[in-house]
C-alpha cells in the first residue's frame, strides 16, 4: 500500500484500510465489505468511540471524487 495507508484482511468481511493522518490520536479507517458497502470510521482524541458512516458503493465513489479533487461542478 502507499505510504501512510495500511491494509488488513478481515476474514469473511472484506478489507480494512487504515489511513495515517499524521497525528497519534487521529485516524481514519475504511472497511470495504465483500458486498461493496463501505464503512468509514473516524477516530479522534475527543472520544474513544469512532464516528461510523456506512456508504453504499455509489456514495463512496462520490465522496472519493470530492476528496480526490476530481469532482467539478459546471
Amino acid at each position: 500500500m502507499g505510504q501512510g495507508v495500511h491494509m488488513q484482511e478481515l476474514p469473511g468481511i472484506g478489507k480494512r484500510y487504515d489511513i495515517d493522518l499524521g497525528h497519534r490520536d487521529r485516524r481514519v479507517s475504511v472497511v470495504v465489505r465483500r458486498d461493496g458497502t463501505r464503512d468509514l470510521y473516524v477516530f479522534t482524541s475527543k472520544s474513544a468511540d469512532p464516528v461510523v458512516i456506512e456508504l453504499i458503493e455509489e456514495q463512496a465513489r462520490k465522496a472519493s471524487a470530492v476528496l480526490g479533487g476530481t469532482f467539478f461542478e459546471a
Side-chain angles (χ1 to χ4, degrees):
M1 241 344 45
Q3 188 174 7
V5 179
H6 307 280
M7 190 273 294
Q8 178 180 355
E9 288 284 340
L10 301 175
I13 298 171
K15 295 181 182 181
R16 183 180 82 202
Y17 298 88
D18 295 319
I19 303 165
D20 180 8
L21 300 178
H23 298 277
R24 247 179 54 169
D25 53 354
R26 290 178 32 196
R27 184 174 94 246
V28 172
S29 294
V30 179
V31 173
V32 180
R33 295 192 222 164
R34 297 168 108 190
D35 67 0
T37 304
R38 275 85 163 156
D39 296 317
L40 177 65
Y41 293 79
V42 179
F43 297 87
T44 66
S45 60
K46 296 180 181 178
S47 174
D49 296 325
V51 173
V52 182
I53 301 168
E54 182 179 303
L55 302 170
I56 62 172
E57 189 170 354
E58 180 182 347
Q59 295 165 330
R61 289 184 189 282
K62 288 177 184 177
S64 175
V66 170
L67 290 170
T70 60
F71 177 82
F72 299 97
E73 193 169 328

